[in-house]
Amino acid sequence: MRSFQSIRRLEVAVCKNRRQIHAFASHAAVQRQVQPVLEPSTASNLTGNSTSPPPDQSQRTNERSSKQNPNKHTFAVGNTQTTDPFALVAPELDQLRNSMITLMGSAHPGLTQVAEYYFKQPSKLLRPLLVLLFSLATNGLGHGWRYKSWLADCEANGSKPGLDAPLSRPDVLNDWNPNIPEHTMSFSSVFDLIRVSPSSVSQLHAPLFSSTEFEPQVANKLLPTQLRLAQIAEMIHVASLLHDDVIDTSPLRRGVPSGPASFGNKLTVLGGDFLLGRASAALSRLGESEVVELVASTITNLVEGEVMQVREVHMPETLMSGDIIEPGLITEQRPGRVSQERWNVYLKKTYLKTASLIAKTARGAVVLGGTQEGEMWKEVAYAYGRNLGIAFQLIDDMLDFSVSDASFGKPSGGADLRLGLATAPALYAWEEFEEMGPLIQRRFEGDGDVDLARQIVSSSKGVARTRELAETYAAKAREVLAHLPDSEAKAALHTMTELVVRRRH
């Protein structure tokens, strides 16, 4: 009863502040002139060149051939024409945005509002984008592609249940939902045993696909399972943002008040948990156990990374691992073991919190496209995603020292320092200025520590060297693409390695 009353009080508070929140959001959007920082229009912000508008939503996958219109998916970088990643999959991204909300409905309106909140703000959609691009770049290359494509055709013609069809009876799956009473069971009476008959659904018989007749070639086609995986990736990412904002007491996210600032910590945590539940149900319907395992492990990684960050602030002595950093990535000027260990912790945490989800969902997309064990395409996807994900986070940490809250869409200007975190710019600054060491060791808790640390970083080469490190990882991501056959999607993935390290916010 007390929990129910607490939730009712939170609902009242949500309704009371709704107008103020929406007014603040509108004002912030006007002030920021919001545009997702990696979308085609942003490429012009990065390069100083204009871009053509994205293709109309009615254009479908089979219209992607560059032979039909070689300039439709390109924009200029200096004197070079390069493939625009967002324009290439613009119809699918629009579809993804519009249909994402349907996956998050709840019998509890307040919970639905929290779950949908961040999805209604402009975002980069980096993770869904990479899932779609790797799907396009590798579909048709794996030996299992013809079977996967046949299954998709069966879904399309109705001979196989679609991805939205539940695997369990609706009344079992949904318990009680007043919005769909015909498919749920009320708790007003005891539950009677429901007798069911054996399923009359006919079994599908797949045609035999000869391995000797298989010729790998890019199919230039997306599968429904891959589109759903793109949505799942974004749902898991947003769930992690809701939880992070509670842990970090962040007041701002995507240019509007954060979840905790708008709904309170309890509902925000529950909203993140709800998203993970919805993502798990959608994941189970993909029908690929390897992908389920991959994506489930990303949730574990997110938790492990967050625990590492908490320990870094509150129990740094427990993080000494003795791990060895890959030669050539970090210079050997560090003054002592503590700095070495902090680099180890920092890069591992960066993988767990950011790169893991990018790398494993990209790999999962390739598996859904029919790549089998022993085929290299999924290894390319993972290597690319891991390196690009670390590069992306390095630039994020760099921008924390060089942009304002309004343009970044979340707290910046040393926000990590205020949380007690030493990221790459601060670690590099320590290599040049020994006085940074004590600040890092006491986690910037002294009076004036944050301002002094920012001054030290500003006086050092920390920001520039962080960008160089990000470029090293991006270059490695670009290098592994050489194993893929040429296609528009491959060119778009190449472009992403440049956009990620050149973004301004």
Side-chain angles (χ1 to χ4, degrees), residues 10-68:
L10 285 168
E11 285 181 327
V12 171
V14 167
C15 294
K16 183 178 179 180
N17 292 326
R18 187 177 300 166
R19 292 181 181 177
Q20 181 180 356
I21 292 167
H22 290 326
F24 186 98
S26 299
H27 176 72
V30 171
Q31 292 295 317
R32 293 176 60 222
Q33 298 179 347
V34 175
Q35 284 184 338
V37 299
L38 293 176
E39 290 197 7
S41 55
T42 304
S44 64
N45 295 335
L46 291 169
T47 63
N49 297 306
S50 61
T51 64
S52 58
D56 184 78
Q57 292 186 27
S58 63
Q59 294 169 332
R60 306 316 308 157
T61 305
N62 59 4
E63 298 178 12
R64 285 200 178 89
S65 174
S66 59
K67 295 179 181 180
Q68 294 177 344

Side-chain angles (χ1 to χ4, degrees), residues 197-203:
S197 302
S199 174
S200 60
V201 177
S202 59
Q203 297 295 318

Side-chain angles (χ1 to χ4, degrees), residues 148 155 163 223-230 285-287 368-369:
K148 296 290 187 180
E155 262 186 39
L163 290 176
L223 301 178
T225 52
Q226 293 166 328
L227 289 165
R228 181 54 51 86
L229 178 61
R285 295 174 185 172
L286 296 181
L368 289 174

Side-chain angles (χ1 to χ4, degrees), residues 82-311:
T82 186
T83 300
D84 187 329
F86 284 85
L88 186 61
V89 291
E92 285 74 23
L93 287 176
D94 286 337
Q95 175 188 345
L96 182 146
R97 285 189 186 99
N98 296 333
S99 61
M100 187 98 68
I101 301 299
T102 64
L103 296 176
M104 293 179 287
S106 167
H108 197 296
L111 190 56
T112 301
Q113 186 181 10
V114 178
E116 294 176 354
Y117 184 59
Y118 285 164
F119 288 102
K120 293 182 177 180
Q121 315 307 328
S123 64
K124 305 176 187 71
L125 290 180
L126 173 67
R127 293 149 191 85
L129 174 67
L130 294 175
V131 167
L132 298 181
L133 291 180
F134 255 105
S135 299
L136 279 176
T138 58
N139 280 353
L141 303 181
H143 275 74
W145 164 251
R146 289 172 294 176
Y147 175 70
K148 296 290 187 180
S149 182
W150 173 80
L151 282 179
D153 292 339
C154 290
E155 262 186 39
N157 63 32
S159 56
K160 177 182 181 295
L163 290 176
D164 292 324
L167 303 178
S168 301
R169 270 198 346 258
D171 63 298
V172 173
L173 194 63
N174 299 310
D175 302 317
W176 167 242
N177 187 335
N179 296 323
I180 48 173
E182 69 277 10
H183 294 301
T184 57
M185 189 68 69
S186 173
F187 289 95
S188 60
S189 61
V190 295
F191 188 85
D192 290 328
L193 176 67
I194 296 178
R195 299 185 181 278
V196 296
S197 302
S199 174
S200 60
V201 177
S202 59
Q203 297 295 318
L204 292 174
H205 298 285
L208 294 176
F209 298 108
S210 171
S211 59
T212 58
E213 298 175 359
F214 176 68
E215 295 183 6
Q217 58 181 349
V218 176
N220 205 28
K221 173 184 177 182
L222 287 169
L223 301 178
T225 52
Q226 293 166 328
L227 289 165
R228 181 54 51 86
L229 178 61
Q231 293 177 317
I232 292 169
E234 187 67 6
M235 292 169 71
I236 293 173
H237 171 58
V238 170
S240 74
L241 297 184
L242 288 167
H243 289 161
D244 282 357
D245 286 347
V246 171
I247 294 171
D248 299 340
T249 61
S250 177
L252 195 67
R253 174 69 67 177
R254 293 182 173 177
V256 299
S258 67
S262 302
F263 307 103
N265 287 344
K266 291 182 180 179
L267 271 182
T268 301
V269 170
L270 293 173
D273 293 345
F274 177 77
L275 278 178
L276 292 177
R278 280 285 189 257
S280 298
L283 181 63
S284 68
R285 295 174 185 172
L286 296 181
E288 187 67 65
S289 57
E290 182 178 353
V291 178
V292 173
E293 180 182 53
L294 278 170
V295 178
S297 72
T298 68
I299 300 175
T300 302
N301 292 157
L302 286 166
V303 175
E304 290 171 336
E306 194 60 52
V307 169
M308 282 189 70
Q309 183 162 299
V310 171
R311 290 170 62 196

